[in-house]
């Protein structure tokens, strides 16, 4: 559904698209690291945007023993902690971590702190980023057994609050991401399922 952040072949400086039909034009630059150098890269020496790219690229390459995973919490701390990351950066980072191999070492406490950024600053997250946060949580829950009931309670209440403004295709993707989780209550799932049958669920207009 979503890729692992900016871990593609091109180093794209830009934000995630606001709909599946609208891809933003971004300035492409050479990647800051070659793939063969990523295994032993020191994240503490990279600027923040390149750091997030490196995490996404390590996830895309399915590296399990990379130094990236050991440096991850130290690098986030060096940048001032999760609260110093923008909503876009939090989304990109969580998506990258969601795509990391299941046996790549990762601290649950770090994931909890990253998701807490959304809980503390939810109004700064667009509907697109809300959807991506939910997707990352669903993937981490199924892959790593992550369970953050307080986050899920808050996130689902945010979805309910935005129900009238959320586009139908985003509701579908949120439901696909977290609908099977035990934390997703029947009322929440019913709300997302109650769409006007005349509306195209992937209509982005």
């Amino acid at each position: 559904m979503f890729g692992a952040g900016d871990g593609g072949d091109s180093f794209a400086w830009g934000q995630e698209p606001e709909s599946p039909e609208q891809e933003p034009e971004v300035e492409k630059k050479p990647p800051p690291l070659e793939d063969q150098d990523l295994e032993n890269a020191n994240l503490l020496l990279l600027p923040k945007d390149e750091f997030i790219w490196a995490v996404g690229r390590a996830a895309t390459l399915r590296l399990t023993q990379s130094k990236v995973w050991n440096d991850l919490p130290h690098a986030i701390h060096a940048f001032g902690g999760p609260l110093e990351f923008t909503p876009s950066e939090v989304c990109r980072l969580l998506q990258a971590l969601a795509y990391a191999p299941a046996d790549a070492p990762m601290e649950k406490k770090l994931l909890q702190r990253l998701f807490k950024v959304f809980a503390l600053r939810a109004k700064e997250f667009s509907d697109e980023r809300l959807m991506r946060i939910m997707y990352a949580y669903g993937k981490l829950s199924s892959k790593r057994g992550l369970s953050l009931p307080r986050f899920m309670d808050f996130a689902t209440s945010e979805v309910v609050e935005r129900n009238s403004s959320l586009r139908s295709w985003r509701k579908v993707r949120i439901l696909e991401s977290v609908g099977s989780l035990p934390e997703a209550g029947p009322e929440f799932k019913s709300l997302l399922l109650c769409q006007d049958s005349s509306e195209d669920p992937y209509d982005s207009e």
Side-chain angles (χ1 to χ4, degrees):
M1 186 184 297
F2 302 119
D6 286 331
D9 293 332
S10 300
F11 185 29
W13 300 80
Q15 297 179 345
E16 61 274 6
E18 287 299 314
S19 81
E21 296 83 11
Q22 299 172 340
E23 294 292 336
E25 293 184 4
V26 295
E27 178 187 357
K28 293 186 177 180
K29 299 183 179 182
L33 292 169
E34 297 295 334
D35 287 350
Q36 61 268 26
D37 298 326
L38 194 56
E39 190 85 33
N40 297 307
N42 185 348
L43 297 188
L44 300 177
L45 301 179
L46 298 177
K48 189 191 289 184
D49 201 59
E50 294 183 8
F51 152 70
I52 296 172
W53 174 89
V55 176
R57 190 60 182 159
T60 298
L61 296 174
R62 303 191 61 79
L63 301 181
T64 57
Q65 302 302 319
S66 174
K67 190 172 181 289
V68 165
W69 309 120
N70 293 326
D71 283 352
L72 180 64
H74 305 293
I76 290 177
H77 177 76
F79 288 119
L83 285 174
E84 294 302 314
F85 285 68
T86 67
S88 175
E89 291 166 344
V90 171
C91 283
R92 290 169 58 203
L93 191 52
L94 280 172
Q95 282 180 228
L97 297 179
Y99 272 88
D103 51 351
M106 200 173 298
E107 297 177 2
K108 177 182 175 181
K109 185 176 181 181
L110 176 62
L111 296 173
Q112 186 175 13
R113 291 173 64 206
L114 286 167
F115 280 110
K116 188 175 181 180
V117 175
F118 171 76
L120 293 174
R121 295 160 52 190
K123 301 310 177 187
E124 298 177 33
F125 285 73
S126 65
D127 291 350
E128 170 75 14
R129 290 172 185 147
L130 166 62
M131 178 183 70
R132 288 172 179 267
I133 287 285
M134 298 294 275
Y135 175 75
Y137 180 77
K139 197 164 185 68
L140 286 164
S141 179
S142 62
K143 182 183 287 188
R144 295 179 176 269
L146 181 69
S147 179
L148 302 174
R150 292 180 64 184
F151 162 79
M152 192 61 175
D153 285 347
F154 181 85
T156 52
S157 67
E158 187 68 21
V159 172
V160 171
E161 184 176 327
R162 300 188 191 192
N163 180 55
S164 60
S165 63
L166 272 175
R167 300 196 188 281
S168 294
W169 66 269
R170 288 197 173 109
K171 295 179 186 180
V172 170
R173 290 189 173 178
I174 291 173
L175 185 62
E176 291 172 345
S177 299
V178 300
S180 62
L181 301 181
E183 304 100 305
E187 292 183 5
F188 171 72
K189 288 187 280 191
S190 296
L191 178 68
L192 294 183
L193 285 169
C194 289
Q195 300 184 58
D196 186 342
S197 59
S198 65
E199 184 178 4
D200 182 350
Y202 290 95
D203 181 11
S204 63
E205 296 182 0

